[in-house]
Amino acid sequence: MRNFLTWLAGFRSSIAGYNYYTDFEKVYKNVESIKVELNILNSLIGCENIEKEFVALFKRYPEILKCIPILLAKRESDILTVDFDGERVWSFNRANYEIEEYVVFMRETGLFDLMQQRHIHNLVDYVTGVETGLDSNARKNRGGHVMEDLVERYLVKAGLEKGNTYFKEMYIHEIEQKWGIDLSCISNEGGTEKRFDFVIKRPNMIYGIETNFYTSGGSKLNETARSYKTLALETKDLSYFKFVWITDGHGWGSARNNLKETFDVLENLYNIQDLSEGVIQKKLI
């Protein structure tokens, strides 16, 4: 019989690899896509009559408009502003106002000052920094992918073969169709389309696996633990399918009570330490 506190004590603080912090390949790709337009805008840096020069530049190179949002650290091509005249939605794919109106936008957002006062010297370098900062916001999503990659390495190490004995990202209806089983107990009679991160197929059993890693706490962890507890209870009487949850991370410290409730009813709840100790070989194959 496993002890929950002992098991929880084995959770890790991080699984971050070298590529976790910033995806520079993505950063460089995003900058490269607007590099020409940024270099055209570079001609405005230090201009005394920057507003007039901007209008002339736009009339000659209207494509410069598309790279303005990223100068404000925005990826959206439409930007909403509110002033005494009401709301405005500015389009940067194609001008939806006269160019003189965009002069007001550039002035009021501080972009003209940024360039005219030489607070920056090169917009390509500046946007590279902006993209790097924005990419750091994607770390939480990368954390999920890092955990999936880690689990997949253990599946392969256990001798499983992708597309044969294990499968990645399968929906309930795909599992039902592929192996002719009934999972209506967890799909609300087909009304819910859940996707498992991995599925292991053995001669007499199918395992649906969910994976996640949490470095910090929050309400999402409690919701996850409760939903997986429900999933465990819904599938406990199935003779041909078992739910497996592999999770880790110090974020669970603040949600340990909900995690324990799931631990008490879900036999196949594991952490990274369990993986390193061969739980896949011992319990799932």
Coordinates of all heavy atoms in Angstrom, one line a residue, residues 50-51 54 65 67-74 79-83 88 90 92 101-115 119 126:
I50 N 9.0 63.4 -37.8 CA 8.7 62.0 -37.9 C 7.3 61.7 -38.4 O 7.1 60.8 -39.2 CB 9.0 61.3 -36.6 CG1 9.0 59.7 -36.8 CG2 8.0 61.7 -35.5 CD1 9.5 59.0 -35.6
E51 N 6.4 62.6 -38.1 CA 5.0 62.3 -38.5 C 4.8 62.5 -40.0 O 4.2 61.7 -40.7 CB 4.0 63.3 -37.7 CG 4.0 63.0 -36.2 CD 3.0 63.8 -35.5 OE1 2.2 64.5 -36.1 OE2 2.9 63.7 -34.2
F54 N 6.6 59.6 -41.7 CA 5.8 58.3 -41.5 C 4.7 58.3 -42.6 O 4.5 57.2 -43.2 CB 5.2 58.3 -40.2 CG 4.2 57.1 -40.0 CD1 4.7 55.8 -39.9 CD2 2.9 57.3 -40.0 CE1 3.9 54.7 -39.7 CE2 2.0 56.2 -39.8 CZ 2.5 54.9 -39.7
L65 N 2.7 48.7 -42.2 CA 1.6 48.8 -41.2 C 1.5 47.5 -40.4 O 1.3 47.5 -39.2 CB 0.3 49.0 -41.9 CG -0.9 49.6 -41.0 CD1 -0.5 51.0 -40.5 CD2 -2.2 49.6 -41.8
C67 N 3.7 45.5 -39.2 CA 4.6 45.2 -38.1 C 4.5 46.2 -37.0 O 5.3 46.1 -36.0 CB 6.1 45.2 -38.7 SG 6.6 46.8 -39.3
I68 N 3.6 47.1 -37.0 CA 3.4 48.0 -35.9 C 2.9 47.4 -34.6 O 3.4 47.7 -33.5 CB 2.5 49.2 -36.3 CG1 3.2 50.1 -37.3 CG2 2.0 50.0 -35.1 CD1 2.3 51.2 -37.9
P69 N 2.0 46.4 -34.6 CA 1.5 45.8 -33.4 C 2.6 45.2 -32.5 O 2.7 45.4 -31.3 CB 0.5 44.8 -33.8 CG -0.1 45.3 -35.1 CD 1.1 46.0 -35.7
I70 N 3.6 44.6 -33.2 CA 4.7 43.9 -32.4 C 5.6 44.9 -31.7 O 6.2 44.7 -30.7 CB 5.5 43.0 -33.3 CG1 6.3 42.0 -32.4 CG2 6.4 43.7 -34.3 CD1 5.5 41.1 -31.6
L71 N 5.6 46.2 -32.2 CA 6.3 47.2 -31.6 C 5.7 47.6 -30.2 O 6.4 48.1 -29.3 CB 6.4 48.5 -32.4 CG 7.0 48.4 -33.8 CD1 7.0 49.7 -34.6 CD2 8.4 47.8 -33.8
L72 N 4.4 47.2 -30.1 CA 3.7 47.4 -28.8 C 3.6 46.1 -28.0 O 2.8 46.0 -27.1 CB 2.3 48.0 -29.0 CG 2.3 49.4 -29.7 CD1 0.9 49.7 -30.1 CD2 2.8 50.4 -28.7
A73 N 4.4 45.1 -28.5 CA 4.3 43.8 -27.9 C 3.0 43.1 -28.0 O 2.5 42.4 -27.1 CB 4.8 43.8 -26.4
K74 N 2.3 43.3 -29.1 CA 1.0 42.7 -29.4 C 1.1 41.9 -30.7 O 1.7 42.3 -31.7 CB 0.0 43.8 -29.7 CG -0.3 44.7 -28.5 CD -1.2 44.0 -27.5 CE -2.6 43.9 -27.9 NZ -3.5 43.3 -26.9
I79 N -6.2 46.1 -33.0 CA -5.9 46.7 -31.7 C -7.0 47.6 -31.3 O -7.4 48.5 -32.1 CB -4.6 47.4 -31.6 CG1 -3.4 46.4 -31.8 CG2 -4.4 48.1 -30.3 CD1 -2.0 47.0 -31.7
L80 N -7.6 47.5 -30.1 CA -8.7 48.3 -29.6 C -8.1 49.4 -28.7 O -7.3 49.2 -27.9 CB -9.6 47.5 -28.7 CG -10.7 48.2 -28.0 CD1 -11.7 48.9 -28.9 CD2 -11.4 47.3 -27.0
T81 N -8.6 50.6 -29.0 CA -8.2 51.8 -28.1 C -9.5 52.5 -27.7 O -10.5 52.5 -28.4 CB -7.3 52.8 -28.8 OG1 -7.9 53.3 -30.0 CG2 -6.0 52.1 -29.2
V82 N -9.5 53.1 -26.6 CA -10.6 53.9 -26.1 C -10.2 55.3 -25.7 O -9.2 55.4 -25.0 CB -11.3 53.2 -24.9 CG1 -12.5 54.0 -24.4 CG2 -11.7 51.8 -25.2
D83 N -10.9 56.3 -26.2 CA -10.6 57.7 -25.8 C -11.9 58.4 -25.7 O -13.0 57.8 -25.6 CB -9.6 58.4 -26.8 CG -10.2 58.4 -28.2 OD1 -11.4 58.2 -28.4 OD2 -9.4 58.5 -29.2
R88 N -12.2 52.5 -30.7 CA -11.7 52.3 -32.1 C -11.0 51.0 -32.2 O -10.2 50.6 -31.3 CB -10.8 53.4 -32.5 CG -11.4 54.7 -32.9 CD -10.4 55.6 -33.6 NE -11.0 56.9 -34.0 CZ -10.3 57.8 -34.8 NH1 -9.2 57.5 -35.3 NH2 -10.9 58.9 -35.1
W90 N -8.4 49.3 -34.5 CA -7.4 49.6 -35.6 C -7.0 48.4 -36.2 O -6.5 47.4 -35.6 CB -6.2 50.3 -35.0 CG -6.5 51.6 -34.2 CD1 -6.9 51.7 -32.9 CD2 -6.4 52.9 -34.7 NE1 -7.1 53.0 -32.5 CE2 -6.7 53.8 -33.6 CE3 -6.0 53.5 -35.9 CZ2 -6.7 55.2 -33.7 CZ3 -6.0 54.9 -36.0 CH2 -6.4 55.7 -34.9
F92 N -4.3 46.4 -38.7 CA -3.0 46.6 -39.2 C -2.6 45.6 -40.3 O -1.5 45.5 -40.7 CB -2.0 46.4 -38.0 CG -2.1 47.6 -37.1 CD1 -2.9 47.6 -36.0 CD2 -1.3 48.7 -37.3 CE1 -3.0 48.7 -35.1 CE2 -1.4 49.8 -36.5 CZ -2.3 49.8 -35.4
E101 N -4.9 59.3 -39.4 CA -5.4 58.8 -38.1 C -4.4 57.8 -37.5 O -4.3 57.8 -36.2 CB -6.8 58.0 -38.3 CG -7.9 58.9 -38.9 CD -8.3 59.9 -37.8 OE1 -8.4 59.6 -36.6 OE2 -8.4 61.1 -38.2
Y102 N -3.7 57.1 -38.3 CA -2.7 56.2 -37.8 C -1.5 57.0 -37.2 O -0.8 56.6 -36.3 CB -2.2 55.3 -38.8 CG -3.1 54.1 -39.1 CD1 -4.1 54.2 -40.0 CD2 -3.0 52.9 -38.3 CE1 -5.0 53.1 -40.2 CE2 -3.8 51.9 -38.5 CZ -4.8 52.0 -39.5 OH -5.7 50.9 -39.6
V103 N -1.3 58.2 -37.7 CA -0.3 59.1 -37.1 C -0.7 59.4 -35.6 O 0.2 59.4 -34.7 CB -0.2 60.5 -37.9 CG1 0.6 61.5 -37.1 CG2 0.4 60.2 -39.3
V104 N -2.0 59.6 -35.4 CA -2.4 59.9 -34.0 C -2.2 58.6 -33.2 O -1.7 58.7 -32.0 CB -4.0 60.2 -34.0 CG1 -4.5 60.3 -32.5 CG2 -4.2 61.5 -34.7
F105 N -2.4 57.4 -33.7 CA -2.2 56.2 -33.0 C -0.7 56.1 -32.6 O -0.3 55.8 -31.5 CB -2.6 55.0 -33.8 CG -2.3 53.7 -33.2 CD1 -3.3 53.0 -32.5 CD2 -1.1 53.0 -33.3 CE1 -3.1 51.8 -31.9 CE2 -0.8 51.8 -32.8 CZ -1.8 51.2 -32.0
M106 N 0.2 56.3 -33.6 CA 1.6 56.2 -33.3 C 2.1 57.2 -32.3 O 2.9 57.0 -31.5 CB 2.4 56.4 -34.7 CG 2.1 55.4 -35.7 SD 2.9 53.8 -35.3 CE 4.6 54.1 -35.6
R107 N 1.5 58.4 -32.4 CA 1.9 59.5 -31.4 C 1.4 59.1 -30.0 O 2.2 59.2 -29.0 CB 1.3 60.8 -31.9 CG 1.7 62.0 -30.9 CD 0.7 63.2 -31.2 NE 0.6 63.5 -32.6 CZ -0.5 63.9 -33.2 NH1 -1.6 63.9 -32.5 NH2 -0.5 64.2 -34.5
E108 N 0.2 58.8 -29.9 CA -0.4 58.6 -28.6 C 0.1 57.3 -27.9 O 0.2 57.2 -26.7 CB -1.9 58.5 -28.7 CG -2.6 59.8 -29.1 CD -2.3 60.9 -28.2 OE1 -2.3 60.7 -26.9 OE2 -1.9 62.0 -28.6
T109 N 0.5 56.3 -28.6 CA 1.0 55.1 -28.0 C 2.5 55.2 -27.7 O 3.1 54.4 -27.0 CB 0.9 53.9 -29.0 OG1 1.6 54.2 -30.2 CG2 -0.5 53.5 -29.2
G110 N 3.1 56.3 -28.1 CA 4.5 56.6 -27.8 C 5.5 56.0 -28.8 O 6.7 56.1 -28.5
L111 N 5.0 55.4 -29.8 CA 6.0 54.8 -30.8 C 6.8 55.9 -31.5 O 8.0 55.6 -31.8 CB 5.2 54.0 -31.8 CG 4.6 52.6 -31.3 CD1 3.8 51.9 -32.3 CD2 5.8 51.7 -30.7
F112 N 6.2 57.0 -31.8 CA 7.0 58.1 -32.5 C 8.1 58.5 -31.6 O 9.2 58.7 -32.0 CB 6.1 59.2 -32.9 CG 5.4 59.0 -34.2 CD1 4.2 59.7 -34.4 CD2 5.9 58.2 -35.2 CE1 3.5 59.5 -35.6 CE2 5.2 58.1 -36.4 CZ 4.0 58.7 -36.6
D113 N 7.8 58.7 -30.3 CA 8.8 59.2 -29.3 C 9.9 58.1 -29.2 O 11.1 58.5 -29.1 CB 8.1 59.4 -28.0 CG 9.1 59.9 -27.0 OD1 9.5 61.1 -27.1 OD2 9.5 59.1 -26.1
L114 N 9.5 56.9 -29.2 CA 10.5 55.8 -29.1 C 11.5 55.9 -30.2 O 12.7 55.7 -29.9 CB 9.8 54.4 -29.2 CG 10.6 53.1 -29.2 CD1 11.1 52.9 -27.8 CD2 9.8 52.0 -29.7
M115 N 11.1 56.2 -31.4 CA 12.0 56.2 -32.5 C 12.7 57.6 -32.7 O 13.9 57.7 -32.9 CB 11.3 55.8 -33.8 CG 10.9 54.4 -33.9 SD 10.1 53.9 -35.4 CE 8.4 54.5 -35.2
H119 N 15.5 56.2 -28.4 CA 15.5 55.3 -27.3 C 15.9 53.9 -27.8 O 16.3 53.1 -27.0 CB 14.1 55.2 -26.7 CG 13.7 56.5 -26.0 ND1 14.4 57.1 -25.0 CD2 12.6 57.4 -26.4 CE1 13.8 58.3 -24.7 NE2 12.7 58.4 -25.5
Y126 N 15.3 45.5 -31.6 CA 14.2 45.8 -30.6 C 13.1 44.7 -30.7 O 12.7 44.1 -29.6 CB 13.6 47.1 -30.9 CG 12.3 47.4 -30.2 CD1 12.3 47.8 -28.8 CD2 11.1 47.4 -30.8 CE1 11.2 48.1 -28.2 CE2 9.9 47.7 -30.2 CZ 10.0 48.1 -28.8 OH 8.8 48.4 -28.2

